[in-house]
Amino acid sequence: MRGTSAALQPPADATAPVRHPDAPAPGELLGAHYGQCFGCGDEQPHGLHLQARAGEGVSLTAEFTVKAAHQGAPGLAHGGVLATALDETLGSLTWLLRTIAVTGRLETDFVRPVPVGAVLHLQAEVTAVAGRKIYASATGRVGGPDGPLAVRADALFVEVKVDHFIDNGRQEEIQAAMNDPDQVRRARAFEVNP
């Protein structure tokens, strides 16, 4: 039986998550929030290039193909890369809430090895909200969306303001993102966890 730490248990006064009216429609591809993001960015040569799609309610699905650059043991995905895929998927849920949040805690269970060349099929959902805290869970399966469970995670995200990134990020990248003439790209650069 799987146990989740007390830090990831929503308090008694937590509420059910509510999908924002302006959230992407179910089935819509979310796209990269920032080209240099290791999880979803298309400008990262060895990144995960994770692609997420909005689901029903406050849920989504995502896929990522394990490449040779992602291996730990010969022919198998590195556990840290799998944790990154879960974190990126969970962080993408905030787009459905239309809020900015960062990972506060991530607990990951590695159930079975994931071979290089495999597609990891991820599913995630927000389970509760309590003030600035967002509780979520995700699973990753191999061989298809209903294939054998390979990894799973529970997470706590904390809502922040854009100042979190401006005050803590490397100034060259912050300035480049803020100077982008494309207002949509500029806003999206700060939408999900770093």
Side-chain angles (χ1 to χ4, degrees):
M1 183 168 192
R2 180 171 182 245
T4 301
S5 73
L8 293 175
Q9 297 295 326
D13 63 346
T15 60
V18 177
R19 182 189 191 99
H20 192 279
D22 296 330
E28 187 175 326
L29 187 64
L30 299 181
H33 75 96
Y34 177 56
Q36 290 294 323
C37 176
F38 182 78
C40 66
D42 53 6
E43 297 170 23
Q44 280 290 341
H46 299 297
L48 305 185
H49 303 150
L50 189 130
Q51 294 192 333
R53 288 192 183 279
E56 297 294 330
V58 189
S59 72
L60 59 78
T61 59
E63 290 183 2
F64 119 82
T65 301
V66 179
K67 308 274 191 216
H70 303 139
Q71 64 189 313
L76 297 174
H78 189 287
V81 170
L82 296 176
T84 300
L86 287 162
D87 184 47
E88 183 69 25
T89 302
L90 288 157
S92 294
L93 288 164
T94 61
W95 292 6
L96 304 177
L97 299 172
R98 301 298 290 171
T99 190
I100 302 170
V102 296
T103 309
R105 186 175 186 97
L106 177 70
E107 289 186 14
T108 306
D109 294 320
F110 301 94
V111 179
R112 74 177 62 239
V114 178
V116 170
V119 175
L120 190 64
H121 299 267
L122 298 140
Q123 296 178 319
E125 68 175 337
V126 175
T127 56
V129 176
R132 293 177 45 223
K133 295 180 178 180
I134 301 165
Y135 298 85
S137 62
T139 58
R141 298 177 180 276
V142 292
D146 297 319
L149 181 67
V151 292
R152 62 183 165 222
D154 290 306
L156 168 64
F157 285 81
V158 180
E159 186 177 345
V160 297
K161 302 294 181 202
V162 75
D163 291 350
H164 168 85
F165 302 97
I166 293 169
D167 294 345
N168 296 293
R170 199 164 72 161
Q171 286 307 305
E172 303 90 80
E173 281 85 359
I174 296 295
Q175 207 55 50
M178 292 180 78
N179 290 338
D180 191 324
D182 184 324
Q183 290 183 359
V184 173
R185 272 199 327 237
R186 183 171 57 235
R188 289 192 72 195
F190 302 102
E191 279 187 340
V192 299
N193 60 312

